[in-house]
Amino acid sequence: DYNSIRGWRNDVIKLKNGSTILFRSGESSAIAIAGLECHAVWCDEPPREEQWAEVVSRVATTDGPIWITMTPVGRPCQY
Protein backbone atom coordinates (compact mmCIF):
# COMPACT_ATOMS: atom_id res chain seq x y z
CA ASP A 1 0.00 0.00 0.00
CA TYR A 2 2.26 2.78 -1.28
CA ASN A 3 1.28 6.39 -1.77
CA SER A 4 3.72 8.50 -3.80
CA ILE A 5 3.17 11.47 -1.49
CA ARG A 6 2.94 9.79 1.93
CA GLY A 7 5.10 6.69 1.35
CA TRP A 8 4.23 3.27 2.75
CA ARG A 9 0.92 3.13 4.58
CA ASN A 10 -0.59 0.62 7.01
CA ASP A 11 2.80 -0.98 7.86
CA VAL A 12 2.02 -3.83 5.43
CA ILE A 13 3.39 -4.88 2.06
CA LYS A 14 1.19 -7.33 0.14
CA LEU A 15 3.01 -9.44 -2.43
CA LYS A 16 1.54 -10.85 -5.64
CA ASN A 17 1.81 -14.41 -4.30
CA GLY A 18 -0.51 -13.54 -1.39
CA SER A 19 2.22 -13.20 1.23
CA THR A 20 2.31 -10.19 3.49
CA ILE A 21 5.21 -8.41 5.15
CA LEU A 22 4.34 -6.71 8.43
CA PHE A 23 6.49 -4.04 10.02
CA ARG A 24 6.68 -3.75 13.78
CA SER A 25 8.86 -1.39 15.78
CA GLY A 26 11.43 -2.79 18.16
CA GLU A 27 10.63 0.09 20.46
CA SER A 28 7.04 -1.10 21.00
CA SER A 29 5.98 -3.64 23.59
CA ALA A 30 6.20 -7.39 22.99
CA ILE A 31 2.39 -7.43 22.83
CA ALA A 32 2.59 -5.69 19.43
CA ILE A 33 3.49 -9.02 17.80
CA ALA A 34 1.64 -11.37 20.16
CA GLY A 35 -0.78 -13.70 18.40
CA LEU A 36 0.85 -13.54 14.97
CA GLU A 37 1.84 -16.74 13.17
CA CYS A 38 4.87 -16.01 11.01
CA HIS A 39 6.79 -18.05 8.47
CA ALA A 40 9.94 -16.01 9.04
CA VAL A 41 11.07 -13.09 11.20
CA TRP A 42 13.74 -10.54 10.42
CA CYS A 43 15.01 -8.24 13.17
CA ASP A 44 17.02 -5.31 11.90
CA GLU A 45 18.58 -4.91 15.34
CA PRO A 46 18.71 -7.27 18.33
CA PRO A 47 15.35 -7.22 20.11
CA ARG A 48 15.19 -6.48 23.81
CA GLU A 49 15.25 -9.59 25.97
CA GLU A 50 11.53 -9.34 26.82
CA GLN A 51 10.74 -9.24 23.08
CA TRP A 52 13.00 -12.18 22.15
CA ALA A 53 10.70 -14.86 23.60
CA GLU A 54 7.80 -13.37 21.67
CA VAL A 55 9.83 -13.33 18.43
CA VAL A 56 10.74 -17.01 18.87
CA SER A 57 7.09 -17.88 19.60
CA ARG A 58 5.91 -16.32 16.33
CA VAL A 59 7.76 -18.92 14.21
CA ALA A 60 7.35 -21.89 16.57
CA THR A 61 4.36 -23.43 14.75
CA THR A 62 5.81 -22.94 11.27
CA ASP A 63 9.40 -23.85 12.18
CA GLY A 64 10.43 -20.66 10.39
CA PRO A 65 13.81 -18.96 10.45
CA ILE A 66 14.76 -15.88 12.45
CA TRP A 67 17.30 -13.53 10.90
CA ILE A 68 19.01 -10.81 12.90
CA THR A 69 21.17 -8.22 11.20
CA MET A 70 22.80 -5.91 13.64
CA THR A 71 25.33 -3.55 14.99
CA PRO A 72 25.42 -5.05 18.50
CA VAL A 73 26.99 -2.01 20.12
CA GLY A 74 25.25 -1.30 23.39
CA ARG A 75 22.80 -4.21 23.08
CA PRO A 76 24.35 -7.48 24.26
CA CYS A 77 22.66 -10.70 23.12
CA GLN A 78 23.46 -13.24 25.83
CA TYR A 79 19.84 -14.41 25.88
Side-chain angles (χ1 to χ4, degrees), residues 19-72:
S19 298
T20 56
I21 299 172
L22 304 173
F23 294 91
R24 297 294 181 258
S25 171
E27 299 304 317
S28 60
S29 93
I31 295 171
I33 62 170
L36 296 175
E37 180 180 77
C38 302
H39 290 93
V41 173
W42 172 41
C43 301
D44 184 36
E45 291 291 334
R48 294 187 309 267
E49 187 169 2
E50 62 271 12
Q51 293 172 320
W52 178 244
E54 200 62 48
V55 167
V56 172
S57 297
R58 298 309 97 218
V59 295
T61 59
T62 63
D63 199 27
I66 299 171
W67 300 289
I68 301 177
T69 54
M70 62 180 135
T71 308

Side-chain angles (χ1 to χ4, degrees), residues 1 8-13 21-24:
D1 195 6
W8 291 105
R9 299 177 355 186
N10 302 327
D11 297 331
V12 176
I13 295 176
I21 299 172
L22 304 173
F23 294 91
R24 297 294 181 258

